[in-house]
Amino acid sequence: MVDAPAPRESGWRRWANRIQPAWVMVLVSPLMICFAWIVTFDQISKDRNAALAEGYREANGLSRSFAEMARHNLDDLDQIVRVVRRAYVAGMREDDIARMLTRAGFRESHQVQVAVLDASNRIIAGKGPDAPQWLAKAMPQRNDGPAVDRPVFSTALRAERGRPDLLAFSRPILRRDGALAGHVAVFVRPEQVLASLPRLNVGPMARQFGSIELGRDDVAAILGMDGRLRAVRLGGAALAASRWPEGPAIYRTRNGDIQPRPNARLDAVPRLWSGGYLRAYDATIVVGISRGVVLRGFERRRQLYLAGTTAFTLGVGLLTVMGAILARRQRRILQQLAESERRANELKSSFLAKISHDLRTPLNGILGFAELIKITAHEEEPRQYGEYIHDSASHLLDLVNMILDLTKLRNGTLQLQLREVDLKDIATSVSRTHSVVAEGKCLEYRLQIAPDFPAAVLCDGVRIREVLNNLAHNAIKFTRAGKVSMELFTADERVMVRVSDTGIGMSDEVKQHLFEPFSEGRDAESRLQAGSGLGLAFSKELLALHGGGIEVASTQGQGTDVTFWIPRDGPPAPPTSPTQ
């Protein structure tokens, strides 16, 4: 009886089974948090813009009401000037102008100073400040052309020696021919021009918020057409002229907004500004209300938004941490799988070592027949083919032997054949072979042996020869010009061998991986002529088996020094157990 086949899973189900929930949580959580914060900041921006718009509407209402009251004050001053000018033109020569104004119906005329000035700005009637230079600036009309009958609102004369800050409001006195005969000026304190604004009804805004008053940090000011201040109130008090900026205090942006100049701020309080013109008096009215007061309600809402989003972020973050823990567990499982793969690679290396034994037999046969072709061939071309076959087979046999020996080293089965050998003879033999290659590259090859170098060293001479061959071969291969040297000397019961070259050197990154198997070359260019990458790794293992070591000192572009050492009396004996 044949069993029915198992039902096949659909494509979407297989795809769903491959998804790891932990990684999905780790990836999606940051997106959720970013989206939440984007929405929060967008709502904060909208609320802030709405609060600022409401603040600008409030500032506009205040500036309109303030402009209306300031215009009434300036109208009163202009009426005084007109009455005095009319009396002066009619021939009235009273020195007590204040008494004349009282009779004319101005009950508070004693709070201002009124004076008549001639064309040279000298006071000829009434009272005024003793400041000729300031009067010349305050009365800009000259007698060198036709004068225009319009009011002039001067800059402030700063307080000095008991005299308060003063402003001059004047009109010209014209002769019948239109020439300038003088001025009539009213000198007032700036706070007399600015009406006190304890509470103002600003129309539509009053219906929504009730009566509005200037706050402690609100500013109301009158400026001339030159942008310079004429009078300022900060909160409920007048601001002394000594605290005013010297130059123009405001400017208009391209979209029409009023902004204070950076070097003309009254204080550090940020404000929302609005204003308008008094065309009859060539003056600008501005009101600035505290930005902090306007945004007070918005700040409370902003804190709520941030607190809510922060709580959401912490919650999602906690879930993300839990997801990360799950992902870590999965990573541990993957590491276990990687360990299994490493063990499989070790088995593979063992397999290569075993099969290397079987490879050497046919390679020896190839070497024998290649040698026979070299000897028996009568023509040059077959003999050259025999040499190529012999060289290739020899190189392949060396690699097979090296792989076998390296595997034995790793497995701990390689045995050294220790006997007393003359390292000087071995070094001379190796140098004799490699000096021929060095001369072919136009390199200087030098062998230096210290006089106190021992004649006999307990070691495996065959293995030490392999190490010397590897180091000399590498030095010559990676040197384009200069010299290669081999130096033998002793230090602290150890025999030392140093192979130096003036070649391309190597970087610190290359040196870190230099003794790893299959590490090729010293840089990108030298890898084109690199070999199998087993020589240095094999040499280090052989020297460690002798109880010695190897180190490299190299500077990129200047050369390399490779130094190794082994004990003079052979490798140290392994420690014996107490039972032995």
Side-chain angles (χ1 to χ4, degrees):
M1 181 175 181
V2 181
D3 296 332
R8 298 182 60 184
E9 292 184 345
S10 61
W12 70 269
R13 185 178 297 276
R14 290 196 303 272
W15 179 82
N17 291 334
R18 294 178 181 177
I19 296 177
Q20 299 295 333
W23 287 113
V24 172
M25 191 64 188
V26 171
L27 295 176
V28 173
S29 295
L31 299 178
M32 295 172 60
I33 293 174
C34 290
F35 179 76
W37 281 105
I38 289 173
V39 172
T40 299
F41 284 127
D42 181 67
Q43 187 61 40
I44 288 175
S45 178
K46 291 179 180 179
D47 285 8
R48 183 177 182 274
N49 292 336
L52 290 176
E54 200 66 43
Y56 277 116
R57 284 196 292 270
E58 181 180 343
N60 288 334
L62 279 173
S63 65
R64 289 195 298 269
S65 296
F66 169 61
E68 186 66 22
M69 298 194 71
R71 185 179 62 80
H72 285 304
N73 287 342
L74 294 177
D75 287 346
D76 290 343
L77 295 179
D78 193 30
Q79 187 66 23
I80 292 174
V81 170
R82 289 175 181 273
V83 169
V84 174
R85 184 178 66 172
R86 187 165 51 249
Y88 179 79
V89 173
M92 189 174 184
R93 292 293 184 268
E94 289 193 30
D95 293 336
D96 192 356
I97 297 177
R99 190 188 314 166
M100 180 193 68
L101 291 175
T102 302
R103 289 201 302 267
F106 295 98
R107 297 179 180 179
E108 298 181 357
S109 59
H110 62 280
Q111 297 182 0
V112 299
Q113 294 179 354
V114 184
V116 179
L117 296 84
D118 60 12
S120 299
N121 297 322
R122 291 176 299 179
I123 297 176
I124 58 177
K127 297 180 180 181
D130 183 15
Q133 295 181 353
W134 176 73
L135 287 173
K137 295 180 180 179
M139 315 298 163
Q141 300 288 351
R142 295 291 185 268
N143 57 2
D144 54 356
V148 179
D149 185 11
R150 62 179 179 84
V152 177
F153 199 23
S154 74
T155 56
L157 175 63
R158 295 190 175 184
E160 187 179 48
R161 293 192 299 272
R163 184 193 67 228
D165 297 332
L166 290 178
L167 296 173
F169 184 89
S170 64
R171 275 186 178 271
I173 301 174
L174 304 179
R175 295 191 180 95
R176 293 182 181 276
D177 59 356
L180 179 66
H183 298 87
V184 176
V186 179
F187 303 99
V188 296
R189 297 189 302 275
E191 57 265 27
Q192 293 175 281
V193 179
L194 277 173
S196 179
L197 304 175
R199 297 186 73 81
L200 296 178
N201 188 321
V202 292
M205 295 299 294
R207 290 194 294 271
Q208 184 174 358
F209 298 99
S211 298
I212 298 176
E213 60 182 350
L214 283 179
R216 183 184 63 180
D217 294 325
D218 295 344
V219 170
I222 299 179
L223 302 92
M225 297 304 293
D226 56 0
R228 301 179 66 180
L229 292 171
R230 300 299 194 263
V232 182
R233 291 187 74 90
L234 178 59
L239 192 66
S242 59
R243 296 178 57 186
W244 301 356
E246 292 288 343
I250 65 170
Y251 71 97
R252 282 189 177 271
T253 61
R254 290 184 178 181
N255 58 5
D257 294 339
I258 294 176
Q259 293 294 334
R261 293 187 179 276
N263 58 349
R265 294 182 179 273
L266 299 175
D267 51 28
V269 178
R271 296 181 176 89
L272 305 180
W273 295 90
S274 181
Y277 293 115
L278 291 177
R279 299 188 182 277
Y281 300 104
D282 287 340
T284 302
I285 308 299
V286 294
V287 171
I289 61 176
S290 172
R291 182 187 292 261
V293 175
V294 171
L295 298 178
R296 187 175 298 164
F298 157 75
E299 286 295 333
R300 288 194 293 268
R301 295 192 300 273
R302 186 177 73 91
Q303 294 297 331
L304 290 176
Y305 294 154
L306 294 178
T309 308
T310 301
F312 174 79
T313 301
L314 293 177
V316 175
L318 180 60
L319 295 177
T320 304
V321 171
M322 296 175 63
I325 294 175
L326 294 176
R328 187 175 181 180
R329 292 179 180 176
Q330 291 180 347
R331 187 166 59 251
R332 189 180 299 115
I333 294 175
L334 293 177
Q335 290 175 351
Q336 294 174 355
L337 293 176
E339 179 66 18
S340 300
E341 184 180 359
R342 185 186 65 81
R343 294 176 181 177
N345 288 333
E346 291 180 353
L347 293 176
K348 180 179 65 176
S349 299
S350 177
F351 168 75
L352 290 176
K354 291 179 180 179
I355 202 173
S356 297
H357 288 283
D358 299 330
L359 290 176
R360 284 189 293 184
T361 300
L363 283 175
N364 288 326
I366 294 174
L367 286 172
F369 281 105
E371 186 70 22
L372 183 62
I373 293 173
K374 290 167 55 179
I375 296 174
T376 60
H378 298 289
E379 298 180 2
E380 179 64 24
E381 186 174 359
R383 283 199 301 271
Q384 190 173 7
Y385 291 160
E387 290 178 0
Y388 289 159
I389 296 172
H390 188 275
D391 292 343
S392 299
S394 297
H395 180 64
L396 184 57
L397 182 60
D398 291 340
L399 289 178
V400 170
N401 291 332
M402 189 175 295
I403 292 174
L404 179 60
D405 291 340
L406 188 59
T407 303
K408 289 181 179 180
L409 280 172
R410 294 294 175 85
N411 295 334
T413 58
L414 181 66
Q415 299 294 327
L416 296 179
Q417 302 298 324
L418 298 177
R419 62 175 59 90
E420 290 188 349
V421 298
D422 189 351
L423 285 186
K424 293 184 290 185
D425 289 344
I426 295 177
T428 302
S429 175
V430 170
S431 297
R432 187 182 302 112
T433 301
H434 288 282
S435 63
V436 177
V437 181
E439 290 176 0
K441 295 182 64 175
C442 298
L443 301 177
E444 177 185 355
Y445 189 95
R446 183 181 304 171
L447 173 63
Q448 298 177 345
I449 302 176
D452 59 344
F453 195 83
V457 178
L458 185 61
C459 64
D460 189 334
V462 176
R463 301 302 183 183
I464 297 300
R465 180 185 292 272
E466 292 179 6
V467 174
L468 291 175
N469 275 318
N470 282 329
L471 298 183
H473 174 74
N474 287 340
I476 295 173
K477 180 171 63 174
F478 293 109
T479 302
R480 302 187 181 97
K483 64 180 181 179
V484 175
S485 63
M486 182 181 296
E487 181 182 0
L488 279 66
F489 57 97
T490 60
D492 298 333
E493 300 300 323
R494 296 184 301 180
V495 293
M496 314 281 290
V497 179
R498 179 181 296 120
V499 178
S500 304
D501 64 69
T502 59
I504 61 176
M506 66 188 78
S507 64
D508 293 338
E509 181 180 0
V510 173
K511 285 190 288 186
Q512 292 178 358
H513 307 283
L514 188 62
F515 294 104
E516 296 178 1
F518 308 106
S519 175
E520 299 181 1
R522 303 189 183 185
D523 56 13
E525 182 179 355
S526 65
R527 288 175 186 172
L528 298 176
Q529 54 184 347
S532 63
L534 293 174
L536 288 176
F538 181 57
S539 298
K540 183 179 180 180
E541 297 285 352
L542 286 177
L543 294 171
L545 197 61
H546 278 84
I550 186 171
E551 62 182 17
V552 176
S554 179
T555 302
Q556 195 164 12
Q558 298 183 10
T560 303
D561 293 336
V562 182
T563 305
F564 74 86
W565 62 89
I566 58 174
R568 177 188 296 183
D569 298 328
T576 59
S577 62
T579 58
Q580 295 175 345

